[in-house]
Amino acid sequence: MDGEFIKLTLNLLCSTVCCVIGLTVVLAAIGKSLGIRKLYTSVLLSIFEFGKSKIERYEKQRYQREPKDSESHDDSDRSDKETTKNGGDPLIQRDIAIDAYQGIRIPSNRADYDLTNLKKEFHMSDIMYFAKCGVETIIEDEVTKCFTAEELRTWNFLTRTTHGHQYVSVRLTVLWCLGCLLRYLLLPFRLVLLSIGLSWLLISTAVIGLLPDISLRRQLNRYASLICHRILCRACSAVVTYHGRENMVKNGICVANHTSPLDVIILSCDNCYSLVGQRHGGFLGLVMKLLARTADHIYFERSEVKDRFIVAKRLKEHVEDKNKLPILIFPEGTCINNTSVMMFKKGSFEVSDDIYPVAIKYDKRFGDAFWNSSKMGMVQHIFDLLTSWALVAEVWYLPPMHRNENESAVDFANRVKKEIARQGGLVDLSWDGQLKRMKVKDSWKTKTQDDFSKILKVD
Amino acid sequence: MGSRASIQLQEAELNEIQSETGFSHNQIVRLYSRFTSLDKGAIGCLSREDFLRIPELAINPLGDRIVHAFFTESNNETVNFRQFMRVLARFRPTKSNQNKNKLNTREEKLKFAFRMYDLDGDDKISKDELLSVLHMMVGANISEEQLGSIADRTISEADTDGDNQISFEEFVQAMERVDVEQKMSIRFLH
């Protein structure tokens, strides 16, 4: 009798889970939503707010017990106002900065530091500009910040972002435990969705790959790809808002800022693209190979210079063929933590005079979408995503931009980058994202030296 | 924010650093988190490479000299957090704490600048040292003779005892009218 009852319950449970998964897959495939994820994320936000107020009260109490530091107390009010637009919380106000392309800059716009139009004799105190700038950089610099996870202003109940807050009060501890339970209960469900998505990719590309290259195949491929990516998106409970879909690319080159390989999945839920990127190994490499069975993706080795010319040539041919899919390129060439946009490689801007920019901004509160490829592998990154709350992102399709007459590819690239930064609320940097892996070039010093020499009066 | 760092940083050490350098609790925690992120080997101290991995410091024409200041402080091949903080304390604004510590006085700030010129560490700036530093600052933009005349002029203006070198006392005099407190201070927001 008892055994029968357990069997019945198990059966019931199994069929419910199957139904839910089936329903999710079907809804994903036709691109419809019941609004559950939206509700889920808004509930989460109010929980985070509650946690924030608790933690603030706790820190206030702790602060009062400590001896008061008059100086830091004065500054604490001000810091609230001076936070930057990307939600970062700077420790210092930078007065002098240098970079490889712009030379000496004065981020604080302080008149007493303004060196332009200044002409003076050398004085030994001039060394202080460099000293101050250098020590400021040691305390805080914008480049290395881009390659580490972004700091949060509100705790999101994940110990991977901030450890220790779960002990602040009993209610927070309970909430944190419940959150953990929920996220890890969701994990197997998400894994199933992930494997369904991947098997769909495996099967559909195998079947469609057999067809001759006719418009039917392209049509089928489009549907199959949309379905696949939408299922994969549900696997991390993605809530993506697309803006300006009338600007979506049909032919040509689309460029976007890069945070994680996930960018591709998010954009592919809405459109089909040919990818351009470097060859990867491991799991990511496998997926890339599967994708290449049905569409013309352009993969290359990062190290091979010869490849660059071949890639440029293939890109050109691809763009000229109106039957081919639009190309998706991440001109930064590496993943950035979604606070900034770094230098755009000029290559893609040489190929075509029309560029369709796309800005992607993730909501970091629900989980960090940044793939720190030098620190963790793809599988670890996927695991982190699947055990996060959700993936909330906004995508802006910007109006296509045309290269002006006499505009160099570099200038055009910078103009597009600026536009993406503006729309996505990201900081526009001119530094090369490759600094994640490589060292600075000695020649990058010269712009600063030039700038300094210019202010010196020489007889 | 940064609570992970404060767990590893012992409360006792934090208090000592606080009284030694005058940094606030929050600032120390933030800077410790910066220190650990620079410490790629996770060994609790920084090497020269760790510093020069910051791109903006690596392209600073005097980046090497600034990094060197940390190793003069530590007198070792590595820099620990305490020493790191002692050097940074030189750049705290002067006005806000009168008697709290002796690290951010005008004299300490001047000493930092002086040592950037003093390449061989003999407490004197020779013409050769001045020339080398000038070279780092201007690169190939100014000719050798012109740099030579700048160096000669600078030394003759500052040198009062006629040894053709600049001692720290002479350096202090040459800086008499310079707003060192402002030029060598960093504005902390917290």
Side-chain angles (χ1 to χ4, degrees):
Chain A
M1 190 65 193
D2 255 6
E4 200 108 312
F5 179 70
I6 292 172
K7 220 166 148 189
L8 197 73
T9 332
L10 271 181
N11 266 342
L12 206 67
L13 203 71
C14 273
S15 43
T16 324
V17 169
C18 287
C19 276
V20 171
I21 290 179
L23 186 68
T24 317
V25 170
V26 169
L27 282 174
I30 56 173
K32 289 273 178 276
S33 169
L34 293 179
I36 295 173
R37 282 166 301 156
K38 278 241 162 81
L39 187 71
Y40 166 67
T41 48
S42 58
V43 169
L44 279 178
L45 277 187
S46 40
I47 294 177
F48 295 163
E49 277 307 307
F50 169 76
K52 185 185 173 187
S53 64
K54 277 273 163 197
I55 291 164
E56 267 171 6
R57 203 184 309 162
Y58 167 77
E59 305 229 300
K60 218 180 219 163
Q61 280 169 0
R62 202 172 108 159
Y63 191 69
Q64 277 164 357
R65 268 189 273 124
E66 274 172 18
K68 266 201 186 126
D69 188 320
S70 62
E71 167 205 359
S72 66
H73 196 72
D74 291 342
D75 292 344
S76 61
D77 301 328
R78 211 179 59 198
S79 66
D80 277 341
K81 286 171 222 143
E82 288 194 29
T83 46
T84 53
K85 60 177 176 179
N86 64 340
D89 188 13
L91 179 58
I92 54 170
Q93 169 74 56
R94 291 292 304 264
D95 279 329
I96 307 186
I98 54 178
D99 83 43
Y101 307 96
Q102 295 167 28
I104 302 174
R105 289 183 297 124
I106 312 294
S108 61
N109 292 322
R110 265 172 76 157
D112 46 350
Y113 279 101
D114 192 8
L115 303 178
T116 44
N117 307 325
L118 189 71
K119 213 55 177 161
K120 62 180 218 57
E121 287 195 331
F122 172 76
H123 188 266
M124 277 198 287
S125 64
D126 291 348
I127 205 167
M128 293 176 184
Y129 292 117
F130 295 102
K132 173 164 167 158
C133 168
V135 176
E136 280 183 350
T137 325
I138 291 173
I139 294 174
E140 208 157 64
D141 82 295
E142 46 192 21
V143 187
T144 46
K145 229 163 53 180
C146 287
F147 304 139
T148 47
E150 191 185 352
E151 272 182 31
L152 282 169
R153 292 185 64 72
T154 317
W155 187 46
N156 62 358
F157 287 82
L158 296 179
T159 41
R160 66 188 80 148
T161 51
T162 313
H163 192 80
H165 278 167
Q166 71 266 39
Y167 309 123
V168 164
S169 82
V170 182
R171 265 190 278 184
L172 283 195
T173 315
V174 171
L175 275 175
W176 176 70
C177 288
L178 283 177
C180 261
L181 201 68
L182 174 72
R183 284 185 291 116
Y184 284 89
L185 274 178
L186 275 177
L187 179 64
F189 183 72
R190 288 172 166 178
L191 280 174
V192 170
L193 279 179
L194 180 70
S195 34
I196 292 177
L198 288 177
S199 342
W200 173 261
L201 180 69
L202 191 76
I203 298 164
S204 67
T205 51
V207 173
I208 294 169
L210 292 175
L211 296 173
D213 191 10
I214 47 167
S215 70
L216 175 70
R217 171 181 153 157
R218 285 194 288 274
Q219 204 52 249
L220 275 178
N221 182 44
R222 184 181 168 82
Y223 287 129
S225 153
L226 285 179
I227 290 173
C228 163
H229 290 110
R230 282 174 185 163
I231 295 174
L232 291 178
C233 257
R234 304 276 162 131
C236 27
S237 309
V239 184
V240 186
T241 322
Y242 299 94
H243 303 272
R245 294 188 64 207
E246 67 277 6
N247 295 323
M248 202 152 58
V249 60
K250 289 185 188 66
N251 277 108
I253 294 184
C254 163
V255 302
N257 57 314
H258 201 14
T259 313
S260 153
L262 213 68
D263 298 336
V264 175
I265 297 179
I266 285 191
L267 290 177
S268 300
C269 284
D270 212 23
N271 198 358
C272 267
Y273 296 98
S274 281
L275 305 176
V276 179
Q278 61 152 336
R279 247 177 257 284
H280 278 267
F283 178 71
L284 191 56
L286 196 77
V287 176
M288 285 169 85
K289 260 189 209 138
L290 286 182
L291 288 170
R293 292 206 286 205
T294 51
D296 300 294
H297 300 301
I298 302 168
Y299 301 144
F300 57 89
E301 304 288 342
R302 192 194 291 279
S303 49
E304 280 182 47
V305 188
K306 208 179 74 191
D307 262 26
R308 211 179 293 164
F309 296 102
I310 304 170
V311 168
K313 202 167 147 259
R314 280 191 61 194
L315 279 177
K316 227 184 175 91
E317 287 167 7
H318 193 116
V319 173
E320 279 158 11
D321 187 346
K322 296 286 172 227
N323 273 327
K324 295 219 161 136
L325 295 172
I327 294 176
L328 175 61
I329 298 181
F330 299 108
E332 287 165 306
T334 189
C335 297
I336 315 287
N337 75 352
N338 210 231
T339 58
S340 320
V341 195
M342 298 185 88
M343 192 181 90
F344 277 7
K345 298 264 180 297
K346 64 176 196 286
S348 28
F349 298 86
E350 282 167 341
V351 174
S352 168
D353 286 345
D354 284 294
I355 295 282
Y356 293 77
V358 170
I360 309 173
K361 178 73 187 164
Y362 292 94
D363 192 331
K364 60 189 173 180
R365 289 172 298 186
F366 297 98
D368 191 8
F370 168 52
W371 181 35
N372 194 347
S373 52
S374 56
K375 240 184 173 170
M376 56 182 164
M378 192 63 218
V379 176
Q380 166 80 43
H381 178 53
I382 291 175
F383 183 78
D384 278 359
L385 286 172
L386 294 184
T387 55
S388 291
W389 293 112
L391 189 78
V392 180
E394 290 200 74
V395 172
W396 288 272
Y397 297 104
L398 298 165
M401 292 174 77
H402 186 79
R403 181 160 145 192
N404 295 333
E405 262 178 73
N406 303 327
E407 190 176 35
S408 71
V410 175
D411 290 341
F412 185 35
N414 281 332
R415 197 156 59 90
V416 173
K417 174 169 69 109
K418 197 170 174 191
E419 200 50 32
I420 290 181
R422 188 193 57 77
Q423 181 63 69
L426 307 162
V427 181
D428 184 8
L429 298 180
S430 60
W431 290 88
D432 189 342
Q434 299 303 326
L435 283 169
K436 198 170 164 183
R437 286 181 203 88
M438 63 174 209
K439 282 193 165 177
V440 301
K441 296 188 184 108
D442 255 356
S443 60
W444 290 358
K445 274 183 191 173
T446 49
K447 183 74 181 81
T448 305
Q449 291 169 330
D450 293 352
D451 279 5
F452 180 69
S453 313
K454 265 181 218 140
I455 66 166
L456 283 192
K457 218 193 284 174
V458 192
D459 16 69
Chain B
M1 207 174 299
S3 326
R4 183 176 291 177
S6 68
I7 287 168
Q8 291 161 11
L9 189 65
Q10 294 298 318
E11 200 68 25
E13 194 187 356
L14 204 151
N15 288 335
E16 273 174 44
I17 293 174
Q18 190 166 5
S19 61
E20 184 179 34
T21 62
F23 280 115
S24 73
H25 186 281
N26 187 18
Q27 286 166 347
I28 298 175
V29 171
R30 288 284 299 265
L31 288 167
Y32 188 67
S33 134
R34 173 67 169 171
F35 180 85
T36 45
S37 76
L38 293 177
D39 175 19
K40 284 280 187 278
I43 49 170
C45 41
L46 304 181
S47 65
R48 277 170 209 268
E49 288 72 44
D50 285 330
F51 279 102
L52 292 172
R53 217 174 278 122
I54 306 171
E56 200 184 326
L57 185 63
I59 68 159
N60 189 316
L62 293 173
D64 283 323
R65 296 304 302 155
I66 295 160
V67 173
H68 186 73
F70 288 86
F71 291 88
T72 323
E73 178 75 32
S74 77
N75 214 353
N76 198 339
E77 278 311 295
T78 53
V79 175
N80 65 25
F81 183 56
R82 188 84 176 257
Q83 295 150 349
F84 180 76
M85 291 302 281
R86 284 176 58 89
V87 178
L88 295 187
R90 263 66 172 207
F91 286 82
R92 289 186 61 238
T94 308
K95 55 177 190 310
S96 50
N97 63 321
Q98 282 79 15
N99 309 313
K100 253 193 187 162
N101 73 84
K102 301 244 176 298
L103 287 175
N104 64 343
T105 56
R106 180 184 172 93
E107 187 177 345
E108 282 293 334
K109 286 177 192 293
L110 281 172
K111 221 168 229 163
F112 188 99
F114 180 79
R115 285 188 186 141
M116 284 178 72
Y117 285 107
D118 184 15
L119 301 179
D120 61 4
D122 67 347
D123 289 328
K124 289 224 171 350
I125 304 172
S126 68
K127 188 189 162 190
D128 283 344
E129 286 171 323
L130 186 56
L131 263 179
S132 314
V133 175
L134 274 168
H135 237 290
M136 295 179 209
M137 287 197 262
V138 301
N141 292 297
I142 295 177
S143 75
E144 214 57 49
E145 299 93 82
Q146 284 169 323
L147 280 187
S149 79
I150 290 179
D152 281 334
R153 178 182 54 76
T154 308
I155 293 214
S156 67
E157 274 172 16
D159 181 25
T160 46
D161 60 5
D163 65 350
N164 250 335
Q165 302 195 79
I166 303 174
S167 66
F168 182 62
E169 288 71 36
E170 289 162 345
F171 185 75
V172 172
Q173 268 179 13
M175 296 290 165
E176 207 171 30
R177 297 215 313 233
V178 176
D179 189 358
V180 180
E181 285 83 355
Q182 186 261 113
K183 284 192 170 175
M184 291 286 277
S185 292
I186 291 172
R187 290 191 283 160
F188 285 87
L189 298 174
H190 285 271

